[in-house]
Amino acid sequence: MIYLLTVFLLFAAYWTGSLIREAVLGYGKQHDHSDLDSFGTGEMCLTGMFALFILWEADALTVSYTGISFSTGVRFYIMMVLTICAISAAIKIRNYKPKEWYSDFVIPKSFIPAVIIFIIQAVSYFLFYPDLSDDRTTESVLTILYSGRLHFIDPDTGMTNGYAVSFYGRLPELDSFYAMLAAVAGGSDLVYAILYRVAPILMLILEYMAYGRWIDIFCGKDNEGRKTAGILYSMLGILNICGSFSPDGIFYSMIHRGFRGENLVFSVLVPYIAYLCYLIFGNKRKNRIIYLLMAAAVTLFAADIQRSAVPVIAVMIISIAASLISRAESGTEKRRAG
């Protein structure tokens, strides 16, 4: 039953992302429908997951500063998530026929090899022992669960005396999110299953969703494009699997350190932020700025500054510059053609 957590998170992310799309993009109204059409199921789940992370950031930061019990914060968070899902589902069912959103989950035949490769990757989390070198995630999660408080006991020493936490240190980290999942699932006995199996599978799905945005741009939605997209998704999976041969690469980390925040940064946030910069600055999709701000907020949650904010800022600068140059060249070509 513990593995149903991934399914629950994805459905919660879908409904949350759907509600955000309704609010931000004005789906069903007379706006830029080309932008609405490009905002598919994968991106709804991705942005919805970012929103769930941000909600937890706010909840956990409140728990840390007020000193209330961790379990109280978890209950409040789950109530917020269920409320959002109920509101989103009610709006969706009211405005659209059920078959219209059930059809979002149809898998094309050309994607079958990619699905098989994805399953192989997911199964590997049950076969390979994770690489725990230079990692303290397990200790941090267990410390939160045993103490029932956030930022109360030093995970390294187990002491409270002299354990001073800075403002940035109080920003909720991914460890606290895993602790919340463990608390929902049943307690500290399930920490290892969540860290080494549930979390990596979730990160793997988010990686496919993030890279899928670029694949959709390159391939389009016709039959030939879908075949090419299936090949590219398969290649992404093969890169992850073959990454086992190089322990210094991000693809190795996705398979053997799937629970670490660096995967959220480099495999999810970096490609998606680059995609958003392309849309906003290269194609003038200004309504996507809210998603860029959401992704930037998640970087504070994913890992420390050196391994999150710095690479994300670098990618944003490069992507914005490339998008502006591309748009300027395109405008010059149109004026010449005219």
Side-chain angles (χ1 to χ4, degrees):
M1 296 297 291
I2 182 65
Y3 305 109
L4 292 179
L5 262 180
T6 303
V7 178
F8 168 75
L9 286 172
L10 290 175
F11 272 99
Y14 175 83
W15 291 118
T16 304
S18 176
L19 186 62
I20 294 172
R21 184 180 71 169
E22 297 280 348
V24 175
L25 299 182
Y27 196 78
K29 299 179 181 179
Q30 298 300 318
H31 291 302
D32 185 1
H33 288 276
S34 63
D35 197 22
L36 298 173
D37 292 338
S38 69
F39 199 91
T41 304
E43 191 165 8
M44 273 198 298
C45 289
L46 190 62
T47 55
M49 198 68 227
F50 290 165
L52 295 181
F53 284 147
I54 293 171
L55 279 177
W56 177 250
E57 285 187 56
D59 187 21
L61 193 60
T62 302
V63 169
S64 178
Y65 268 105
T66 60
I68 63 177
S69 67
F70 181 73
S71 59
T72 300
V74 171
R75 292 191 189 98
F76 182 70
Y77 177 75
I78 295 301
M79 288 175 59
M80 286 194 298
V81 171
L82 292 178
T83 301
I84 290 172
C85 291
I87 293 173
S88 178
I91 294 174
K92 189 83 169 179
I93 293 173
R94 179 181 179 181
N95 294 340
Y96 308 101
K97 296 178 181 179
K99 66 179 182 180
E100 291 186 15
W101 56 272
Y102 288 154
S103 62
D104 288 343
F105 299 97
V106 175
I107 300 175
K109 292 182 180 180
S110 58
F111 282 29
I112 291 178
V115 171
I116 294 173
I117 295 174
F118 178 87
I119 293 173
I120 293 173
Q121 295 171 81
V123 170
S124 71
Y125 295 126
F126 295 83
L127 301 178
F128 300 150
Y129 189 79
D131 183 351
L132 302 179
S133 58
D134 190 30
D135 183 74
R136 56 197 291 271
T137 304
T138 305
E139 291 78 5
S140 297
V141 173
L142 289 173
T143 298
I144 294 171
L145 292 174
Y146 286 138
S147 66
R149 301 272 294 277
L150 264 180
H151 304 129
F152 180 67
I153 296 178
D154 189 338
D156 295 323
T157 65
M159 305 293 290
T160 58
N161 295 332
Y163 181 46
V165 183
S166 64
F167 173 79
Y168 178 74
R170 283 188 181 275
L171 290 177
E173 60 283 336
L174 200 57
D175 301 349
S176 65
F177 187 79
Y178 294 150
M180 180 272 296
L181 293 181
V184 171
S188 58
D189 293 340
L190 300 173
V191 167
Y192 299 101
I194 288 174
L195 288 181
Y196 306 149
R197 291 172 183 172
V198 173
I201 292 175
L202 178 63
M203 290 292 182
L204 185 64
I205 294 172
L206 295 179
E207 179 197 36
Y208 271 76
M209 291 177 180
Y211 281 103
R213 305 315 303 146
W214 286 108
I215 292 175
D216 285 347
I217 288 177
F218 293 141
C219 299
K221 295 184 178 181
D222 57 6
N223 291 333
E224 289 300 320
R226 292 294 84 190
K227 291 179 182 179
T228 305
I231 295 173
L232 292 177
Y233 279 117
S234 299
M235 291 176 62
L236 177 60
I238 292 171
L239 283 174
N240 284 334
I241 295 172
C242 293
S244 297
F245 297 104
S246 177
D248 297 325
I250 187 61
F251 295 111
Y252 173 90
S253 184
M254 180 57 71
I255 295 297
H256 298 278
R257 303 170 186 158
F259 57 91
R260 297 185 63 162
E262 292 86 344
N263 294 303
L264 181 58
V265 174
F266 292 101
S267 295
V268 181
L269 291 172
V270 165
Y272 186 61
I273 285 176
Y275 165 79
L276 289 175
C277 290
Y278 166 77
L279 287 185
I280 295 169
F281 299 98
N283 293 273
K284 299 182 179 181
R285 304 284 179 84
K286 295 181 180 179
N287 51 13
R288 297 295 183 102
I289 291 178
I290 183 63
Y291 297 106
L292 184 61
L293 295 176
M294 288 173 57
V298 174
T299 61
L300 299 176
F301 169 85
D304 58 54
I305 292 179
Q306 292 82 0
R307 290 179 291 182
S308 60
V310 172
V312 165
I313 291 173
V315 168
M316 286 180 64
I317 292 173
I318 295 172
S319 300
I320 291 172
S323 298
L324 292 176
I325 292 172
S326 176
R327 194 174 77 183
E329 291 179 349
S330 176
T332 302
E333 291 179 358
K334 288 181 179 179
R335 286 193 294 271
R336 290 176 178 175

